[in-house]
Structure formats: structure tokens, C-alpha cells
Amino acid sequence: MRRHPGGNQVSVAASVELLVNSLAWQAAAPVVGSALLDHWEDNGWRILQYSGVYGDRENARPVTVVFALDATAGRDTGDDPVVRVSYVDADSGEAVAVDELGAVPSRKIPPMAG
């Protein structure tokens, strides 16, 4: 992936814009149920945290959805940015496997940067 000129970090809003246009966001969107809750940087990655729900309607469980993308990736990056996504059960703190999600349709709240 090409980096933003000079290797400087882009704004959180720019990272959110890249995220919502990514395939990772499209795949996770049925689970995500909040706007951006928190963000931080770690070893060149920008981490973006959202809350959501997984499971069927009768067994719905809260989940934290965490995305990671290159903190220097901008709109001029070219190719789709590398985006990683993880789901963590909000009650147990355990990772949730993608095949366990059985997503409940969420309220579509725009993921605006804080």
C-alpha cells in the first residue's frame, strides 16, 4: 500500500472515510450499531472502535467491533486500504469468530469521527 506523502498520519475523519468505503466495512456493517466510539494509534495502525450486536434476535449479544488500518493511508493512497476487523464479545471479552456472528440488522448510524 502506498502511504500518505511524508508518512504523516492522516486525520481520524479521513481514516473513517476510508473505512466506510472499504470491503471490511461492508462485511461488518450488519453488526455495527454505533458511530465511532474511540480511536487510537498503535505501531502505525489507526484503531477505530464501534459497538454492535451479534447473534439472532432471541440471543442477541453486545459486541465491540474494532477496525485497524494504516494511520498514514489517505484518499490518494490508490488501492483499497488494508483494513483488519475483529469482534469482541462485550460481556466476556472473548473474540467472536466471524461464523458465530449471525448478524442482527443494526440501526444504520453514520460512522462520524468524533
Side-chain angles (χ1 to χ4, degrees):
M1 171 188 336
R2 286 182 291 164
R3 294 179 171 267
H4 194 267
N8 297 326
Q9 292 183 347
V10 298
S11 69
V12 173
S15 292
V16 170
E17 181 181 354
L18 284 177
L19 173 62
V20 299
N21 290 305
S22 72
L23 293 175
W25 178 264
Q26 291 173 24
V31 176
V32 176
S34 75
L36 180 65
L37 297 175
D38 199 3
H39 62 88
W40 63 92
E41 282 75 40
D42 187 14
N43 291 323
W45 290 94
R46 168 138 314 129
I47 313 300
L48 304 169
Q49 179 183 335
Y50 296 82
S51 67
V53 176
Y54 77 98
D56 60 32
R57 291 194 189 279
E58 295 172 5
N59 299 304
R61 306 227 357 136
V63 65
T64 300
V65 185
V66 181
F67 296 93
L69 61 154
D70 184 338
T72 64
R75 285 186 307 206
D76 59 349
T77 304
D79 298 329
D80 287 334
V82 173
V83 179
R84 296 181 179 172
V85 60
S86 296
Y87 306 92
V88 179
D89 184 285
D91 294 332
S92 71
E94 297 290 324
V96 178
V98 173
D99 61 345
E100 293 179 44
L101 291 175
V104 174
S106 65
R107 296 174 291 134
K108 295 299 181 195
I109 300 171
M112 303 301 293

